[in-house]
Amino acid sequence: MDRGEVPYLRIVGELRRRIAAGELAVGDRIPSTRQIMRDWGVAMATASKVIGVLRDEGLVRPVPGIGTVVVYRVDALPKAADSGGELESAPADLTEQRVLGVAIKIADSEGLAAASMDRLATELGAPVLSLHRHVRSTDELVHLMADAAYGEIPLPAQPPPGWRAQLEVSLRLQWRLHRRHPWLSQAIPLTRPEFVRNAMTHTEWILRALDGLGLTPNAMLHASVSLAGFVRGVAADPEADDEAAVREGQLAEALSSGGFPTMARVIVQPGLDLDLDSLFEFGLRRQLDGLAVLVAGAAHGRRD
């Protein structure tokens, strides 16, 4: 196996090949989780993920008392005749762009989990199987949604002068996107980057801004991921403003109990302004101030 290949994807690919070749026909059982564990030497979580991906793709389904069976051929997805006419009932204007647009709208208003294939099919008035012409699985759907969202506001063609100004451009743009699409914080793993091209343009922009400042590649990469993590972390609580009003009574009761004297004194001071945007602005300045110390140290030969 290619060392860079994710194990579950290799197994999914092999089972998908068997289904396409007819080695596993419609109605046949696919290997169980225990059989996948035994045959491929993987953990139960990996085996379960394999079956989950095939199920999301609409190729298999669980049958009580039998197991997980093949319900659709890989090479049949584009053919209406093989689906019993289901694909013929799909809207003529069903495109990948429309699927993603509806999915993003659902996720924006109800959260990422609400943008399921079943929900999309309902909203689009299309059979679930017809969606697989455009999106093979839920994982791919989320991937494409994130790419589309990050592509909504492009970075400028020419960066401003100075590394700090260049970082601010990217981070403020990312903040706008995360505020517009709160689910983005869940869509892309932070320490396991995926090939989401429009998100990668921000990583490239930040690394380019830091290049040539004397930082080690390790420091550059850690700075890039830390800055992205800061934006995601602040944006990950989109309901904070709404919930604050609901919990004001509980907070007042807790503060009057005497158990939090310092907090009670600080919170009642005039001029306090705490919301997600003020947290972002405060944190952004402190993040860049700290990075400036690192850059200054590198200029004097310190390798942190």
Side-chain angles (χ1 to χ4, degrees):
M1 183 185 73
D2 182 351
R3 289 183 179 273
E5 187 177 17
V6 180
Y8 85 88
L9 292 178
R10 177 173 61 95
I11 303 169
V12 167
E14 171 60 20
L15 293 178
R16 196 186 288 130
R17 183 198 66 76
R18 294 181 189 178
I19 295 172
E23 297 172 18
L24 288 170
V26 173
D28 286 352
R29 289 181 56 187
I30 67 168
S32 65
T33 53
R34 292 189 180 279
Q35 188 175 347
I36 291 173
M37 291 167 61
R38 183 177 64 252
D39 292 350
W40 276 277
V42 296
M44 179 170 287
T46 299
S48 299
K49 188 165 187 177
V50 168
I51 294 176
V53 169
L54 294 173
R55 187 173 62 246
D56 286 344
E57 292 180 351
L59 298 176
V60 302
R61 69 178 177 87
V63 177
I66 297 178
T68 302
V69 302
V70 177
V71 293
Y72 218 69
R73 295 206 318 272
V74 172
D75 62 347
L77 286 175
K79 302 176 184 177
D82 290 332
S83 65
E86 263 197 304
L87 295 181
E88 290 181 345
S89 65
D93 62 347
L94 187 64
T95 62
E96 179 181 298
Q97 185 176 9
R98 184 162 179 242
V99 171
L100 293 179
V102 172
I104 289 172
K105 186 177 293 185
I106 293 171
D108 286 348
S109 59
E110 302 176 40
L112 190 59
S116 66
M117 299 295 275
D118 287 341
R119 173 67 183 281
L120 273 176
T122 300
E123 294 290 332
L124 292 163
V128 173
L129 288 177
S130 69
L131 301 183
H132 290 291
R133 282 178 165 179
H134 311 286
V135 181
R136 294 194 63 87
S137 66
T138 301
D139 285 346
E140 183 179 48
L141 173 65
V142 173
H143 182 102
L144 293 173
M145 288 168 62
D147 193 45
Y150 270 101
E152 289 177 356
I153 311 176
L155 285 158
Q158 293 296 328
W163 66 266
R164 183 163 182 148
Q166 291 170 27
L167 294 186
E168 282 204 44
V169 166
S170 171
L171 296 172
R172 290 187 184 282
L173 195 154
Q174 289 184 58
W175 178 246
R176 288 174 61 191
L177 292 173
H178 277 267
R179 288 291 268 161
R180 181 184 294 180
H181 305 297
W183 50 269
L184 269 178
S185 297
Q186 310 165 44
I188 305 175
L190 191 62
T191 57
R192 184 171 56 83
E194 297 181 359
F195 186 69
V196 178
R197 179 177 291 275
N198 286 319
M200 288 173 63
T201 60
H202 285 274
T203 304
E204 172 66 19
W205 177 283
I206 290 174
L207 290 175
R208 189 174 59 198
L210 297 174
D211 197 20
L213 299 178
L215 300 177
T216 66
N218 190 56
M220 290 169 59
L221 185 59
H222 275 74
S224 173
V225 175
S226 296
L227 290 169
F230 157 69
V231 175
R232 295 184 194 190
V234 179
D237 189 16
E239 298 178 357
D241 294 339
D242 297 332
E243 292 178 356
V246 176
R247 296 180 179 174
E248 277 184 1
Q250 296 173 327
L251 177 61
E253 183 179 346
L255 293 179
S256 64
S257 69
F260 309 95
T262 307
M263 191 181 219
R265 176 173 54 79
V266 170
I267 284 181
V268 298
Q269 298 302 310
L272 292 182
D273 179 21
L274 181 65
D275 59 24
L276 291 183
D277 288 317
S278 69
L279 282 172
F280 170 74
E281 291 296 335
F282 180 89
L284 176 63
R285 290 194 296 271
R286 302 295 86 76
Q287 290 277 334
L288 296 180
D289 288 346
L291 192 54
V293 173
L294 188 65
V295 169
H300 289 84
R302 292 199 297 270
R303 311 284 282 184
D304 293 325

